[in-house]
Amino acid sequence: MKTEGLKEFYEHKMQPLPENMNATAGHFNIFRIEDCLSGTTTIQYARRDYYKITLIRGVNRYHYADKSIEVDGTSMIFFNPKVPYTWEHISGEATGYFCIFTEPFFTEKLRGSLQELPMFAIGGKPSYILSQADEEAIVAVFEKMLTEIRSDYAFKYDLLRSYLNELIHLALKTEPASNLYDHPNANTRITSVFRELLERQFPIETPQQRFTMKSARSFAESLAVHVNHLNRAVKATTGKTTTAIISERLVAEAKALLRHTDWNVAEISNSLGFEEASHFNNFFRKHTSLTPSRYRTV
């Protein structure tokens, strides 16, 4: 599975490479969607090595790993480098805005991590449906970004960073405050670290890459806790067993690889840590009621 970098992004959009692309303070840029379609309304399924925030109108479908989100109306979508995705425009006028940026740009002068934000967290909500008032407020920020990126103001990137923060918080305000953050305790903290460690092993991008931590015990050893402690914490927080969560993530990755790569089943089996293709077939059929080959054709 291909990873698209900034250089490939600009080549794909047939735009010159910006002067600040290799800046130590990170990279940021903003665009109108209608200026970048280049005759196509579908982009390649791939992982990117940058973040992206999009406001788009019309009916659109996004594929995140093995999940699909179809949105009718104006929405705001947050993409992060850990999750491969593709986008297709279904109907209506494809208009709006998007900005791209790297993590160093966001964190250079701000405290905290992007992964702490609900829209960029693993398993978080990446899509926000906007009311007319929400849309007007967010469009105003994108327009200020477009004006500022073209200016000669010496501190324009500091201002753009502030606008980026404003976009994020405008999206968060569309959700009830009680739904944004959990109040962590010991169980939620260890579950969060377990999930992060699990996600670090994905996405699988080449047949040579191999998923190695497949058991609750291997995660417990990496986290320096007893396996029973990990299992109790995960069960108390999620209602699921550690093994079930690992299996769900493996199935999700298997579906993505079967749908979006041309690797054969043996290559996918090996990359997901199965010693024999038959073991992978049995595992996949147990969780989906289909063989990998059959899933690929339905």
Side-chain angles (χ1 to χ4, degrees):
M1 187 183 303
K2 181 182 177 182
T3 297
E4 180 185 87
L6 287 169
K7 182 179 179 182
E8 289 80 11
F9 167 83
Y10 284 103
E11 289 174 348
H12 177 67
K13 300 299 181 187
M14 294 181 290
Q15 298 202 19
L17 299 181
E19 294 179 1
N20 72 330
M21 199 173 79
N22 297 315
T24 56
H27 179 73
F28 175 90
N29 211 342
I30 172 143
F31 309 86
R32 285 193 175 91
I33 288 176
E34 49 266 44
D35 296 337
C36 299
L37 290 179
S38 302
T40 180
T41 54
T42 303
I43 62 172
Q44 183 180 13
Y45 182 87
R47 180 185 180 190
R48 278 77 180 171
D49 66 0
Y50 50 85
Y51 290 82
K52 182 177 180 181
I53 301 176
T54 299
L55 179 145
I56 191 165
R57 305 176 180 96
V59 181
N60 300 279
R61 185 179 297 125
Y62 298 89
H63 303 283
Y64 257 59
D66 68 313
K67 299 179 179 64
S68 295
I69 304 169
E70 186 165 313
V71 180
D72 184 358
T74 303
S75 62
M76 207 170 173
I77 315 288
F78 293 80
F79 301 103
N80 74 72
K82 292 186 177 181
V83 182
Y85 67 88
T86 186
W87 161 75
E88 55 182 315
H89 181 65
I90 307 301
S91 65
E93 191 176 5
T95 63
Y97 308 81
F98 69 92
C99 62
I100 61 172
F101 59 96
T102 58
E103 186 155 7
F105 176 81
F106 182 84
T107 59
E108 185 200 14
K109 297 183 180 179
L110 299 171
R111 293 184 178 181
S113 166
L114 282 164
Q115 284 73 41
E116 295 173 359
L117 297 167
M119 64 274 290
F120 290 126
I122 298 301
K125 179 182 177 181
S127 176
Y128 294 75
I129 305 299
L130 304 180
S131 67
Q132 183 175 345
D134 294 332
E135 178 182 355
E136 289 173 357
I138 290 168
V139 164
V141 177
F142 273 115
E143 284 292 336
K144 287 190 288 186
M145 285 179 162
L146 282 168
T147 299
E148 202 56 50
I149 198 77
R150 299 165 183 154
S151 77
D152 295 326
Y153 178 48
F155 302 104
K156 68 179 181 181
Y157 288 105
D158 290 333
L159 188 52
L160 285 163
R161 196 175 290 108
S162 297
Y163 290 151
L164 181 59
N165 237 346
E166 187 176 356
L167 279 183
I168 288 169
H169 286 285
L170 283 171
L172 292 178
K173 286 172 70 176
T174 68
E175 296 290 292
S178 60
N179 293 338
L180 297 183
Y181 299 100
D182 293 326
H183 299 285
N185 54 35
N187 286 339
T188 56
R189 281 196 297 273
I190 195 170
T191 302
S192 175
V193 176
F194 155 68
R195 284 188 178 277
E196 181 179 348
L197 189 57
L198 175 62
E199 286 299 330
R200 283 180 188 172
Q201 300 178 82
F202 298 102
I204 303 294
E205 297 182 296
T206 70
Q208 291 72 42
Q209 187 178 341
R210 190 169 172 83
F211 177 71
T212 56
M213 297 177 65
K214 291 180 59 179
S215 70
R217 186 172 300 279
S218 62
F219 279 95
E221 290 173 354
S222 293
L223 296 170
V225 298
H226 194 280
V227 65
N228 291 341
H229 180 47
L230 174 63
N231 286 333
R232 283 194 298 269
V234 171
K235 183 70 173 179
T237 305
T238 69
K240 300 177 182 179
T241 66
T242 311
T243 300
I245 291 175
I246 296 170
S247 295
E248 286 175 0
R249 188 62 183 86
L250 272 174
V251 169
E253 192 69 11
K255 287 180 176 180
L257 294 174
L258 288 165
R259 287 282 194 218
H260 302 292
T261 74
D262 58 1
W263 307 352
N264 61 45
V265 171
E267 288 174 319
I268 294 173
S269 168
N270 183 67
S271 70
L272 294 177
F274 292 89
E275 297 300 328
E276 301 289 342
S278 59
H279 297 165
F280 171 58
N281 274 275
N282 292 336
F283 168 83
F284 192 84
R285 184 163 51 191
K286 175 184 176 181
H287 290 278
T288 67
S289 301
L290 297 170
T291 65
S293 299
R294 177 60 179 156
Y295 176 81
R296 205 164 218 170
T297 61
V298 296

